[in-house]
Amino acid sequence: MNLLASRSSRMKASEIRELLKLLDQPDIISFAGGIPDPSLFPADAIRDAYADVLGGAEAGAALQYQVSEGYLPLRRWIAGQMGKLGVACDEANIFITSGSQQALDYLGKLFLSPDDTALVTWPTYLGALQAFNAYEPRYDRLRTDGGNMTPDAYRAAAAAPTAFSRGGGKVKFAYLVPDFANPTGETLTRQQREAVLDLAQELDIAVIEDAAYRALRYDGEGVPPILALDCIRSGGIDKARTLYCGSFSKILSPGMRVGWVCAPRHVVEKLVLMKQASDLHSPSINQLVMHRVAEAVFDGQVEKLIGAYRERRDGLLAALEANMPQGVTWSRPEGGMFVWMTLPEASDATELLTRSVKEARVAFVPGNAFHADGTGRNTLRLSFTLADRRAVTEGIPRLAALLRE
């Protein structure tokens, strides 16, 4: 163990991945894993696409090495989708990854030297912290509701020595999930997105926009992506500072592991070099199949998921309203997969989880896992995508009873 690189000390197990093991216990009611409902996957379309690819002229290409940038027709389809969101781009601005988690890992590797600073929200997506941790950064707080430090204060904090380093680091990027955030369910207004770009411009840093949940809007009007607003300011995607991470996992299939980055060409070129050194390319057959399925069913699949998940969100919110004791509050997301709950200040959600699993057989994710500084112990995340009527009507009253105690 004394031969391991220093970065290995920053690698920690995902509390969410560990909690997913609870799903194997049939009597556990789980609001923990932020995963799509497998009964809603377009399994027939995916099965037919694999059969068509392997039974036709593309079989050789599907089983062969692929260019590191990704399958060209799929990149062109994604570029068309980005155009609908207000981001004028072409296939040269699209880079295919093995899920958006790989995109976060690559972007951490691209930007972060040891002791550099990443600005993240408090709380933020746990998987992003895991991806960035390997590159030994510091974290500072990004406040999307205002009240951020001045650029000079952020720079000074990034460069200051600590008990563990000599200092000298720089602020490199701001990372955030602007639509139906994991874990809070929050969506940023246009004004808030513009403010993030203002800060990034003053600091001269990149913005990593994690858009994994963007398509899952149940209420309200959509807000332009940060990248679209950046393109308006900068004069086009190749002059932008925002890097957009997209994924098919929440809409079509997480198991196929197909995501993408939409970014300036000079950034894509660097990511391609990383891909060549890492895994050469994402699986060819999955990219060919994903292209066929996306062309055929994407819009219809989005509509199906919106109908199903909106009903489950509404059911969870109604159960919380009917059962939770005074002093407990929660978010009311317009889309996505998550509700964020805040308990009274003295509460500890990690301790509550231990009791909840043992006594009530209900699982959730403690909120401190999403805070870079380990705070937020009186918060927790509930996912509603697998929360059918039984789960809600039985699980939420059990959890509420523990909170009353």
Side-chain angles (χ1 to χ4, degrees):
M1 297 298 291
N2 64 340
L3 300 179
L4 298 181
S6 59
R7 73 180 65 91
S8 66
S9 66
R10 302 286 296 272
M11 299 176 183
K12 299 178 181 179
S14 165
E15 295 194 27
I16 300 171
R17 296 286 109 190
E18 294 300 311
L19 282 170
L20 288 179
K21 297 174 184 177
L22 294 172
L23 297 179
D24 294 332
Q25 302 179 32
D27 65 327
I28 288 285
I29 294 176
S30 179
F31 300 101
I35 59 178
D37 185 344
S39 72
L40 299 175
F41 293 157
D44 290 344
I46 292 172
R47 181 195 62 233
D48 292 345
Y50 273 108
D52 289 344
V53 167
L54 291 175
E58 292 183 300
L63 300 174
Q64 182 59 279
Y65 287 114
Q66 179 65 248
V67 296
S68 297
E69 291 87 338
Y71 181 53
L72 181 58
L74 178 60
R75 288 161 53 217
R76 285 176 174 163
W77 184 88
I78 293 169
Q81 295 296 112
M82 295 303 302
K84 295 177 184 179
L85 297 177
V87 179
C89 63
D90 61 29
E91 63 271 15
N93 300 110
I94 307 298
F95 170 69
I96 302 297
T97 59
S98 297
S100 61
Q101 187 67 23
Q102 185 178 67
L104 297 178
D105 176 58
Y106 281 10
L107 292 172
K109 183 185 294 186
L110 182 63
F111 285 102
L112 294 171
S113 297
D115 293 323
D116 281 341
T117 291
L119 302 184
V120 299
T121 55
W122 255 233
T124 196
Y125 170 49
L126 172 58
L129 297 178
Q130 286 188 293
F132 303 150
N133 277 346
Y135 306 107
E136 304 176 81
R138 303 185 194 184
Y139 296 103
D140 211 335
R141 186 169 186 175
L142 176 68
R143 297 179 182 272
T144 56
D145 55 353
N148 285 306
M149 294 195 300
T150 66
D152 284 344
Y154 275 126
R155 292 189 191 99
T162 70
F164 305 101
S165 73
R166 298 185 205 175
K170 300 177 180 179
V171 184
K172 291 297 185 66
F173 60 74
Y175 165 82
L176 68 166
V177 186
D179 295 284
F180 326 121
N182 183 355
T184 63
E186 176 187 16
T187 295
L188 300 190
T189 65
R190 180 168 182 150
Q191 182 179 4
Q192 288 173 314
R193 297 172 197 228
E194 297 278 12
V196 169
L197 285 173
D198 289 341
L199 179 62
Q201 184 171 348
E202 291 172 335
L203 283 167
D204 194 19
I205 60 174
V207 176
I208 299 177
E209 179 177 15
D210 190 339
Y213 311 95
R214 180 177 174 85
L216 296 176
R217 172 172 284 280
Y218 315 136
D219 304 314
E221 295 295 323
V223 186
I226 296 174
L227 178 54
L229 300 175
D230 195 350
C231 288
I232 294 171
R233 291 183 174 212
S234 63
I237 188 169
D238 287 326
K239 297 180 181 179
R241 67 177 66 249
T242 303
L243 317 169
Y244 181 104
C245 299
S247 174
F248 290 106
S249 292
K250 306 303 184 289
I251 306 301
L252 297 178
S253 166
M256 292 175 69
R257 309 307 302 135
V258 182
W260 74 87
V261 177
C262 181
R265 296 183 188 209
H266 62 271
V267 174
V268 169
E269 290 168 0
K270 292 291 187 183
L271 295 173
V272 168
L273 296 179
M274 290 183 177
K275 191 77 169 170
Q276 290 172 354
S278 177
D279 61 357
L280 299 183
H281 60 85
S282 297
S284 302
I285 188 169
N286 290 358
Q287 294 185 63
L288 270 68
V289 168
M290 188 62 78
H291 174 241
R292 287 184 177 228
V293 174
E295 278 197 326
V297 307
F298 187 85
D299 291 340
Q301 178 69 8
V302 168
E303 289 304 312
K304 179 171 77 171
L305 294 177
I306 287 174
Y309 292 158
R310 179 195 286 128
E311 182 177 350
R312 295 176 192 182
R313 178 208 59 180
D314 292 347
L316 177 60
L317 292 176
L320 293 172
E321 190 69 41
N323 291 280
M324 283 296 153
Q326 189 172 4
V328 178
T329 61
W330 53 89
S331 63
R332 291 167 172 78
E334 294 182 334
M337 294 183 166
F338 309 110
V339 169
W340 184 247
M341 182 178 289
T342 303
L343 310 179
E345 191 66 33
S347 303
D348 188 321
T350 301
E351 293 180 0
L352 177 66
L353 175 64
T354 301
R355 288 191 59 205
S356 183
V357 170
K358 182 179 179 180
E359 301 174 25
R361 307 302 283 166
V362 174
F364 54 83
V365 184
N368 66 295
F370 302 96
H371 288 74
D373 63 350
T375 57
R377 300 196 70 83
N378 66 319
T379 59
L380 60 91
R381 191 194 75 179
L382 301 172
S383 175
F384 53 79
T385 49
L386 295 178
D388 59 18
R389 187 179 300 275
R390 172 189 165 273
V392 169
T393 57
E394 294 184 18
I396 295 303
R398 293 183 200 173
L399 182 59
L402 282 179
L403 287 170
R404 288 192 190 93
E405 293 177 17

